[in-house]
Amino acid sequence: MVPDRCLVAVPSSVPLDEAAVLGCSGTTGVHVVDTVAKVQSGETVTVIGVGGVGLACVQVAAARGARVIAVDPHEDSRAVAESLGAAHSVDPFAVDAVEAVRALVGGDGVDVVVDTVGNDHTPAQAIDMVRMQGRVVLVGYTDAPARIDVATAVTREVRLFGSVGATLADTAEVLRLAEAGALRIPIADRYSLSQVNEALDRLHSGKVAGRLVLRP
């Protein structure tokens, strides 16, 4: 049983399937940008990995007045990120992502990097992308250990944060942004419950721009 104080009304203008995918991606994005990174208008924010959570971070950061750079190897995901507010996008398989991001901001590094991937090398890239006293927020993670250059983090006074989950207030803010048209997580496709394995196979391919929805 869920206490009624934990419920947030979904505006009639937000379809329920879109509200469902906002429940994780959107709330995580709001928590990262507003509570953990504390992104301010005029700052530059790089988002590594623009799946569902990354796309939410792109939109919330843009809504706060930040200039956003999306980093993702998938062309479709980069295109979606740009359509939702990213000023630039970088293919890390085609160029050195750190050099490309720093070049976009004059070489000094960005104010904030959000890493939604968290594999064996993206945390180190994030540290290398930020300016002196920049903020790095780690959101994604795998079971693979990641190496970072501790000397770089220390001598440049990089501020390193972790972020997980969200609050009830974050949920209310997500729905406010969605109602205002400032936040949406694209639904790449919808499947019936009997097609769950097909949907999982598509997710494993890594080629889903946005989210998939299962309908009972």
Side-chain angles (χ1 to χ4, degrees):
M1 182 177 292
V2 177
D4 58 3
R5 63 180 175 81
C6 295
L7 301 178
V8 178
V10 176
S12 59
S13 60
V14 180
L16 290 180
D17 53 359
E18 293 185 18
V21 296
L22 286 171
C24 173
S25 302
T27 52
T28 299
V30 164
H31 192 72
V32 167
V33 172
D34 288 350
T35 303
V36 181
K38 297 184 180 354
V39 171
Q40 303 297 309
S41 179
E43 290 191 313
T44 52
V45 177
T46 292
V47 180
I48 301 176
V50 284
V53 172
L55 289 174
C57 291
V58 166
Q59 293 173 83
V60 179
R64 303 315 184 215
R67 176 187 175 200
V68 183
I69 302 168
V71 177
D72 197 287
H74 302 296
E75 183 178 2
D76 289 348
S77 295
R78 294 195 306 273
V80 172
E82 290 191 1
S83 74
L84 294 175
H88 308 279
S89 65
V90 172
D91 180 354
F93 287 2
V95 297
D96 183 298
V98 174
E99 290 182 0
V101 167
R102 294 181 75 89
L104 286 168
V105 292
D108 294 330
V110 298
D111 299 293
V112 177
V113 178
V114 178
D115 179 9
T116 75
V117 178
N119 60 22
D120 61 345
H121 63 274
T122 53
Q125 286 183 324
I127 289 171
D128 286 340
M129 287 175 182
V130 292
R131 61 167 174 79
M132 184 75 175
Q133 296 186 336
R135 289 107 70 200
V136 171
V137 183
L138 303 180
V139 183
Y141 56 90
T142 70
D143 58 0
R147 298 183 60 128
I148 64 171
D149 184 345
V150 175
T152 297
V154 170
T155 57
R156 293 176 51 228
E157 297 185 351
V158 174
R159 303 170 191 181
L160 187 62
F161 302 93
S163 182
V164 62
T167 67
L168 190 61
D170 295 327
T171 304
E173 176 63 7
V174 161
L175 291 171
R176 187 193 71 77
L177 290 169
E179 187 176 27
L183 177 60
R184 58 181 292 267
I185 307 300
I187 296 175
D189 216 337
R190 296 164 174 81
Y191 292 85
S192 67
L193 195 56
S194 63
Q195 296 174 298
V196 60
N197 288 329
E198 182 181 342
L200 289 172
D201 287 342
R202 187 170 169 186
L203 285 174
H204 289 156
S205 75
K207 296 180 180 179
V208 177
R211 285 288 194 244
L212 301 179
V213 170
L214 289 178
R215 288 176 166 171

